């Protein structure tokens, strides 16, 4: 049994998001974490990466998962592999931080949450924007009435095509497609402003019939017990946008890096009212470190795991509703 204060984390896959952002953040929190190991389908990749990051190499995912010297795993695999490896990790008694989207269907997410709950383990989907201080500032400004009463929310997250045709996002068998990748962010942020009682009222998507994945789309989220709504757009073949716009009875608040503010960026908010426009420059923050701090709190019982389970189900339910109401047009 681990008698140390820190959590020993293993990583499944030498993924770009892991090596660029999450592993450096794990290493930067030595009081909370020890990077214990990294596994790859390719043992030479695991060896090189383990040497770079000063941890143990595992020649496949399964050998890391059965190691009793690992307390928690970070799973940055393609979406379709989240379900089998999350289940395996939970069965081995590990807490799980998994990349978005947590599952490819509502049923998968329900089963993962049920198992996590039965085993009293953490299951956290890696939407790090939730823990950037920018979001807390925006919530405070709106709660303080800076833009009056909220009337609508608009979210846009999209980027130009990926240079590599081999990208996991273009592979249907790996859970690719823009909805589970970029579109999922709108569903995750909407409840912060519109509340939990939400449903997808309308949805539209363009399906790339050559690649066999959805490539851009959008929709409308509606409150069940109120008149508020949000509209959102996302895509893989779009001019870059990463914006949130809150339109109120007295003003409008906009930000352009709501999901992706890097740790060296001072995010800017634009607040417009009848008194004029004010640009607010916010402090830098590291949301990768912040979500890891939160994961540590969950593991140690200092934050509510039940609320995360609920959030996981709500997120998957909204994506499921989107798929049920969507109008799809094929493009080639
Ligand atoms: N939270 C965020 O900000 C953020 C940002 C980017 C991506 N993501 C999410 O993170 C996950 C990984 O994205 P990524 O951009 O890091 O992808 P990536 O660089 O392609 O990494 C995925 C890794 O999965 C492993 N893998 C297992 N089976 C595979 C297969 N059949 N084809 C390709 N790779 C396979 C590979 O590791 P080995 O070969 O070493 O086993 C690969 O390096 C996705 O769920 C994505 O949505 C999140």
């Amino acid at each position: 049994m681990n008698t140390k204060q820190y959590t020993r984390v293993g990583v499944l896959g030498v993924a770009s998001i892991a090596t660029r952002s999450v592993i450096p953040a794990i290493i930067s929190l030595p009081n909370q974490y020890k990077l214990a190991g990294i596994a790859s389908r390719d043992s030479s990749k695991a060896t090189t990466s383990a040497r770079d990051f000063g941890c143990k190499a595992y020649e496949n995912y399964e050998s890391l998962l059965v190691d009793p010297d690992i307390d928690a795993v970070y799973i940055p695999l393609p979406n379709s592999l989240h379900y089998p490896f999350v289940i395996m990790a939970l069965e081995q008694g590990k807490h799980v931080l998994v990349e978005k989207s947590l599952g490819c269907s509502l049923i998968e997410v329900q089963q993962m949450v049920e198992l996590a709950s039965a085993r009293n383990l953490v299951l956290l989907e890696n939407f790090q924007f939730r823990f950037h201080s920018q979001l807390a500032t925006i919530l405070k400004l709106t709660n303080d009435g800076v833009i009056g009463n909220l009337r609508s929310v608009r979210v846009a997250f999209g980027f130009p095509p990926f240079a590599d045709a081999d990208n996991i996002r273009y592979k249907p068998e790996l859970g690719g497609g823009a909805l589970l990748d970029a579109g999922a962010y709108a569903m995750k942020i909407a409840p912060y402003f519109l509340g939990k009682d939400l449903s997808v009222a309308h949805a539209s998507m363009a399906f790339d019939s050559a690649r066999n994945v959805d490539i851009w789309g959008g929709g409308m989220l509606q409150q069940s017990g109120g008149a508020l709504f949000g509209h959102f757009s996302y895509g893989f073949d779009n001019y870059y946008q990463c914006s949130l716009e809150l339109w109120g009875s007295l003003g409008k608040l906009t930000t352009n890096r709501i999901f992706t503010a890097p740790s060296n960026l001072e995010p800017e908010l634009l607040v417009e009212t009848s008194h004029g426009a004010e640009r607010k420059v916010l402090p830098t923050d590291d949301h990768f470190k912040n979500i890891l701090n939160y994961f540590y709190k969950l593991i140690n019982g200092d934050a509510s795991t039940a609320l995360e389970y609920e959030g996981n189900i709500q997120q998957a339910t909204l994506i499921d509703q989107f798929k049920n109401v969507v109008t799809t047009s094929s493009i080639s």
Side-chain angles (χ1 to χ4, degrees), residues 12-22 38-42 45-46 61 74-82 85 98-102 126-128 164 166-169 171 173-174 180-181 185 259-260 287-288:
L12 299 190
V14 185
S16 158
I17 183 66
T19 55
R20 267 187 298 129
S21 304
V22 178
I38 185 159
S40 174
R41 298 168 298 170
D42 172 345
K45 236 162 88 178
Y61 305 150
Y74 167 55
I75 305 184
L77 297 173
N79 291 333
S80 66
L81 296 181
H82 293 173
F85 287 102
V98 52
E99 272 307 337
K100 33 60 57 177
S101 278
L102 170 54
N126 197 34
F127 279 110
Q128 66 274 2
D164 51 327
D166 238 17
N167 196 294
I168 57 170
R169 291 159 187 80
K171 303 221 169 136
E173 70 280 12
L174 295 182
L180 287 182
D181 191 89
Y185 282 84
F259 302 123
T260 56
H287 53 187
F288 287 103

Side-chain angles (χ1 to χ4, degrees), residues 35 88 100 103 112 134 149 153 160 164 166 191 217 236 243 250 274 315 325 327-328 330:
L35 180 70
M88 222 179 280
K100 33 60 57 177
M112 289 185 270
Q134 172 182 211
N149 294 317
V153 176
D164 51 327
D166 238 17
F236 284 168
S243 64
L250 302 176
S274 56
Q315 171 74 2
V325 303
T327 303
T328 304
S330 285

Side-chain angles (χ1 to χ4, degrees), residues 28 32 48 71 110 116 124 133 238 244 262 282 288 295 298 329:
S28 77
Q32 288 91 329
T48 305
D71 308 308
Q110 283 166 336
L124 178 63
S133 55
N238 296 40
L244 169 72
L282 305 184
F288 287 103
F295 186 49
L298 288 168
S329 297

